[in-house]
């Protein structure tokens, strides 16, 4: 076996990847800060305060101690310490998401919004740059859109991923079909969707995006979908980290920092006939 | 398996550490003098982009069936000032809206005089900065009609709203003030505006968030700049760090 080092990620892609990573972290933290200002979600145009589908709330026990209660549809969970009620300066405090997960840490809606909208612009501009670059360099068509052959092998790829059997050798030189589908869904589904749902929450934008707001069922639906798409990003991040680790942390990290990615290839010995 | 576990442990630890440092860093940055200014600079971009994309477009108006059963009030819900208590005790019969500042004709209008102006009724959504929304039916007079009567002079750039709940004030640019859906409203859902929602007269600006829509209106001033009013940021919540432009 020999190692072949290939140049996998170009400099613009590496820069855009890391800009995106920082944006997502800050958008998530400041987004949870904004969520905490009213820690309930609804479907529809207005808020039906009696029927949220998600609440991160608190109840007071008989002895006066606070208990965090998370309600998802008809289900109730005790989430004290994590959701609804969490430690703040050493005391249990009513708070949707805990301090360590929000930007800024304490309840501070005005500044949470400032962080969120500043980085939303960078996120959106970075996203537009990525799509333009990926079209221009054919990165999108060549590396991300699955080929017909990819689609035929999707069943096998799902089984392989489930068994943690990852492509190696020359097969690892290109993205496999599940990677391609995952990246496309994240970029256009989650990325595009979350920006649109963000815009749909803006009262001023609704003067021209009323059709979009109606299409998803109303402004509160847009807020719910915005939140769910953010949770989609969190889920993607966790799977992404898991795959990065089990397919070779060092090699993967190097490739997204320096661009260079090593694959193992069979050495071919010339044989006499 | 051990190296993998260690490596995973290491990665998770580094991630947790990076996260904590970054979030902690964000807290430190938040408390500086410059950070809010830099972060809020994006609001100017948002405002310019939204103005360019939406112009004078109207927000969606809804049907009677969409009206929320309860129009959730926020902020002050029962002003305690002596002047307001006296007005409320008398059913607001002595109420006067003063319009002044940089105008040719200062006005002092009773509710009956306001009602004689052309009315507008609109069923619009109210979006609170906290994230929730309610839909209500508002009847009032377009602010632009009142401004036409007062005749702002050329130096006027902003409209400042002073309120009976002490210290609350708000301001709009002339473009927002003259939008057809910007109302001075005295009726909510076919009844006089309840005290909790801003009786007897409140501002409606459905293209912006709830905190712009000053309740308990006392006086409207046209000004060249709001730097000398309140904390100088154009409104009660703006003085606490909220964005003056609340279309987003």
């Amino acid at each position: 076996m020999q190692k072949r080092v290939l140049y996998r990620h170009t400099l613009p892609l590496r820069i855009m990847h890391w800009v995106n990573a920082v944006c997502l972290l800050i958008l998530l933290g400041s987004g949870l800060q904004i969520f905490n200002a009213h820690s309930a979600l609804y479907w529809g145009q207005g808020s039906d305060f009696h029927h949220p589908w998600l609440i991160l709330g608190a109840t007071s026990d008989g002895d006066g101690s606070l208990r965090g209660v998370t309600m998802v549809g008809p289900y109730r969970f005790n989430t004290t310490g994590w959701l609804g009620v969490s430690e703040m300066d050493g005391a249990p405090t009513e708070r949707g998401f805990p301090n360590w997960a929000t930007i800024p840490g304490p309840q501070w809606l005005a500044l949470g919004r400032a962080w969120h909208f500043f980085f939303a612009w960078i996120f959106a501009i970075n996203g537009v740059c990525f799509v333009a670059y990926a079209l221009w360099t054919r990165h999108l068509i060549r590396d991300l859109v699955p080929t017909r052959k990819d689609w035929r092998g999707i069943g096998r790829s799902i089984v392989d991923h489930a068994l943690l059997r990852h492509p190696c050798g020359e097969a690892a030189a290109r993205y496999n079909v599940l990677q391609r589908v995952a990246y496309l869904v994240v970029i256009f589904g989650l990325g595009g969707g979350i920006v649109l749902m963000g815009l749909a929450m803006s009262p001023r934008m609704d003067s021209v995006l009323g059709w979009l707001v109606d299409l998803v069922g109303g402004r509160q639906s847009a807020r719910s979908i915005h939140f769910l798409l953010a949770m989609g990003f969190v889920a993607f991040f966790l799977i992404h980290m898991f795959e990065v680790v089990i397919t070779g942390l060092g090699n993967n990290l190097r490739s997204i920092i320096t661009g260079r990615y090593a694959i193992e290839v069979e050495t071919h010995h010339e044989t006499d006939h | 398996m051990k190296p993998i576990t260690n490596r995973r442990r290491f990665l998770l630890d580094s991630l947790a550490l990076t996260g904590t440092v970054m979030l902690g860093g964000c807290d430190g940055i938040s408390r500086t003098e410059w950070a809010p200014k830099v972060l809020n600079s994006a609001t100017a971009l948002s405002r310019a982009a939204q103005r360019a994309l939406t112009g004078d477009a109207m927000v969606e108006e809804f049907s009677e069936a969409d009206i929320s059963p309860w129009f959730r009030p926020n902020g002050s819900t029962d002003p305690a000032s002596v002047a307001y208590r006296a007005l409320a005790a008398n059913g607001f019969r002595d109420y006067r809206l003063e319009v002044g500042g940089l105008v040719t004709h200062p006005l002092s209008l009773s509710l009956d005089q306001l009602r004689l102006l052309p009315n507008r009724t609109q069923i619009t959504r109210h979006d609170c900065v906290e994230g929730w929304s309610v839909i209500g039916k508002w009847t009032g007079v377009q602010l632009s009609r009142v401004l036409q009567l007062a005749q702002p002079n050329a130096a006027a750039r902003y409209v400042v709203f002073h309120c009976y709940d002490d210290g609350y004030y708000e301001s709009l640019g002339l473009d927002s003030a003259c939008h057809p859906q910007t109302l001075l409203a005295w009726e909510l859902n076919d009844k006089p505006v309840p005290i909790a929602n801003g009786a007897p007269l409140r501002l409606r600006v459905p293209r912006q968030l709830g905190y712009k829509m000053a309740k308990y209106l006392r006086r409207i001033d046209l000004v060249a700049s709001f730097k000398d009013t309140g904390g100088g940021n154009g409104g009660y919540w703006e003085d606490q760090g909220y964005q003056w432009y609340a279309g987003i």
Side-chain angles (χ1 to χ4, degrees):
Chain A
M1 294 287 250
Q2 258 187 353
K3 285 207 172 187
R4 182 160 80 85
V5 175
L6 45 104
Y7 189 58
R8 188 173 222 188
H9 305 296
T10 62
L11 181 64
L13 284 178
R14 273 140 47 209
I15 293 173
M16 288 187 279
H17 171 271
W18 288 112
V19 168
N20 194 50
V22 170
C23 284
L24 280 178
L25 184 68
I26 293 177
L27 284 168
L28 178 68
S30 55
L32 297 181
Q33 164 73 242
I34 296 170
F35 174 93
N36 275 358
H38 185 76
S39 58
L41 292 171
Y42 313 85
W43 296 116
Q45 192 63 258
S47 304
D48 180 352
F49 297 108
H50 297 296
H51 299 100
W53 69 265
L54 176 76
I55 314 180
L56 308 186
T59 56
S60 190
D61 280 352
D63 59 354
S65 63
L66 284 171
R67 192 143 53 91
V69 181
T70 297
M71 281 188 260
V72 186
Y75 305 102
R76 289 168 70 99
F77 306 94
N78 182 347
T79 48
T80 310
W82 292 88
L83 304 173
V85 171
S86 47
E87 292 267 314
M88 193 168 158
D89 300 325
T93 308
E94 273 191 56
R95 196 136 157 68
F97 287 95
N99 266 26
W100 56 261
T102 66
I103 297 173
Q107 183 64 46
W108 194 352
L109 174 60
L111 210 61
R113 282 166 55 80
W115 278 99
H116 202 72
F117 300 143
F118 186 89
F119 281 90
W121 271 106
I122 299 179
F123 176 73
I125 292 168
N126 192 55
V128 169
C129 289
F130 170 80
V131 173
Y133 179 86
L135 285 171
W136 177 254
T137 61
R138 299 186 51 78
H139 172 57
L140 185 70
I141 304 298
R142 197 183 52 226
D143 302 321
L144 294 177
V145 175
T147 61
R148 215 172 275 188
K149 195 172 155 220
D150 280 333
W151 284 118
R152 279 197 297 272
I154 195 166
R156 185 189 178 83
S157 186
I158 291 171
V159 173
D160 283 347
H161 274 81
L163 298 173
L164 304 185
R165 277 199 312 238
H166 292 88
C168 51
E170 283 295 345
R174 63 193 291 283
Y175 289 153
N176 65 63
V177 60
L178 286 196
Q179 264 178 304
R180 289 171 185 242
V181 171
Y183 294 154
L184 288 178
V185 166
V186 168
I187 294 162
F188 294 101
L190 297 188
I194 209 161
V195 169
L196 282 180
M197 290 303 101
L199 289 173
M201 275 188 279
S202 149
R204 177 75 181 252
M205 287 310 295
D206 285 359
S207 61
V208 290
L209 290 181
W211 60 272
L212 177 67
V213 183
D214 290 341
L215 187 72
V216 298
R219 179 178 188 256
Q220 290 302 314
S221 300
R223 184 169 180 256
S224 290
I225 298 170
H226 190 76
F227 176 85
L228 290 172
L229 293 174
M231 294 303 110
F233 268 112
V234 172
F236 170 77
F237 172 76
L238 294 175
I239 297 168
H240 185 52
M241 286 303 102
F242 176 76
E243 294 286 341
V244 161
V245 171
I246 64 164
T247 59
L249 177 63
N251 194 25
N252 283 321
L253 269 180
R254 185 181 57 187
S255 78
I256 200 65
I257 294 168
T258 70
R260 273 173 263 284
Y261 184 74
I263 54 170
E264 291 183 339
V265 286
E266 302 281 341
T267 38
H268 295 282
H269 298 285
E270 293 296 322
T271 47
D272 293 322
H273 291 284
Chain B
M1 280 315 282
K2 197 113 204 268
I4 296 274
T5 320
N6 281 345
R7 225 193 263 171
R8 197 171 299 164
R9 181 87 247 145
F10 170 74
L11 182 83
L12 288 176
D13 285 352
S14 347
L15 273 178
L17 186 70
T18 316
T20 311
V21 166
M22 276 211 59
L23 296 184
C26 290
D27 261 17
I29 292 168
S30 299
R31 275 175 233 290
T32 61
E33 189 78 16
W34 55 268
K37 289 198 184 87
V38 173
L39 294 171
N40 276 317
S41 64
T43 310
L45 190 56
S46 304
R47 182 172 179 230
Q50 295 198 340
R51 282 174 79 156
L53 290 170
T54 66
D56 282 334
M58 310 270 272
V59 295
E60 188 173 0
E61 295 192 13
F62 300 92
S63 69
E64 301 266 344
D66 299 315
I67 294 174
S68 302
W70 177 51
F71 200 96
R72 182 183 177 122
N74 210 9
S76 43
T77 50
D78 196 8
S81 69
V82 175
Y84 185 81
R85 304 281 7 137
L87 286 174
N90 194 22
F92 300 105
R93 274 183 286 274
D94 302 325
Y95 174 81
R96 291 266 157 178
L97 174 71
E98 311 289 337
V99 183
L102 302 173
V103 295
T104 312
H105 304 297
L107 306 170
S108 174
L109 301 167
S110 69
L111 286 171
D112 283 337
Q113 286 171 316
L114 283 164
R115 284 194 192 96
L116 287 175
L117 295 169
N119 289 189
R120 186 175 208 279
T121 295
Q122 61 193 29
I123 302 174
T124 49
R125 204 185 58 217
H126 175 103
D127 300 326
C128 179
V129 67
E130 294 169 352
W132 47 267
S133 311
V134 285
I135 294 174
K137 178 181 184 181
W138 295 93
T139 298
V141 58
Q142 290 169 327
L143 177 58
S144 60
R145 305 246 180 209
V146 175
L147 295 183
Q148 272 163 21
L149 291 179
Q151 291 284 317
N153 56 42
R157 290 191 57 209
Y158 300 98
V159 187
V160 176
F161 305 86
H162 296 276
C163 306
Y164 275 103
D165 44 341
D166 278 333
Y168 205 96
Y169 74 103
E170 255 305 338
S171 60
L172 293 175
L174 277 178
D175 57 336
S176 282
C178 294
H179 186 266
Q181 287 172 315
T182 300
L183 303 187
L184 302 175
W186 52 78
E187 261 181 27
L188 167 59
N189 297 336
D190 302 316
K191 295 195 184 79
V193 173
I195 286 182
N197 298 104
L201 194 69
R202 81 170 292 178
L203 183 62
R204 299 301 310 162
V205 193
R207 295 195 307 172
Q208 298 204 42
L209 297 173
Y211 64 85
K212 297 301 287 187
M213 307 191 213
K215 307 199 277 190
Y216 317 111
L217 291 176
R218 185 163 55 106
R219 201 177 78 240
I220 295 177
D221 277 345
L222 281 103
V223 297
S225 156
F226 48 69
K227 289 282 172 274
D228 299 325
T229 308
N233 297 297
Y236 174 82
W237 287 111
E238 287 84 337
D239 288 338
Q240 331 280 318
Y242 283 82
Q243 292 83 3
W244 179 75
Y245 177 67
I248 182 168

